[in-house]
Amino acid sequence: MKMLRWLFVAFTLFLGAIYAIAQTTSATLTGAVSDPNGAAIPGASVVAENLQTHVRISAVTNSAGFYRVLGLLPGYYRLTVAKAGFKSVVRDGIELHGQDEVAINF
C-alpha cells in the first residue's frame, strides 16, 4: 500500500512538472523589414531592449526580410532596426505580456 501511495505522489509530481514546463511567460516579437518600395531587407539587425532592465535581445532578418525575437520577458520594449545604407528606425513603448506574439513591421 505504501508503494502504491508513493507511486501516486511521484506520478502527480511528474504531471505537475510537465504542466509547469508547458507554461511560458515569455513573449515574441515578429515582423518584416522592407524599404520604401516594399522590397524585403535581408540581413537587417533587429534589437529589442527591455526599458526597465536594459537587457537586449537581437535578431537578424532572413532572406525574405522577416525577423523573430524570442524569449522576451513581460515589460516595455524599444525595437531598433538598422542596416548599413539605410536609416535606422526605432519604435518605443511596446508593451509585452507573457505569451504575447506581437507583429511589428518596418
Side-chain angles (χ1 to χ4, degrees):
M1 194 61 144
K2 283 187 176 186
M3 180 62 131
L4 185 58
R5 187 177 302 158
W6 183 86
L7 286 174
F8 176 75
V9 170
F11 183 70
T12 303
L13 290 173
F14 175 74
L15 287 179
I18 289 175
Y19 179 76
I21 290 170
Q23 300 301 310
T24 180
T25 59
S26 65
T28 302
L29 287 171
T30 63
V33 179
S34 58
D35 68 14
N37 296 322
I41 301 179
S45 168
V46 180
V47 179
E49 179 183 0
N50 183 305
L51 297 176
Q52 287 92 11
T53 65
H54 302 288
V55 170
R56 294 177 180 184
I57 299 179
S58 300
V60 176
T61 57
N62 65 14
S63 61
F66 291 106
Y67 72 90
R68 189 170 182 82
V69 184
L70 305 168
L72 300 169
L73 295 176
Y76 289 91
Y77 284 83
R78 170 181 296 127
L79 195 59
T80 304
V81 178
K83 174 143 182 168
F86 293 90
K87 184 178 176 183
S88 295
V89 180
V90 177
R91 182 98 32 106
D92 275 322
I94 302 165
E95 183 178 7
L96 297 177
H97 302 95
Q99 301 180 347
D100 278 355
E101 183 160 333
V102 177
I104 299 177
N105 298 316
F106 292 90

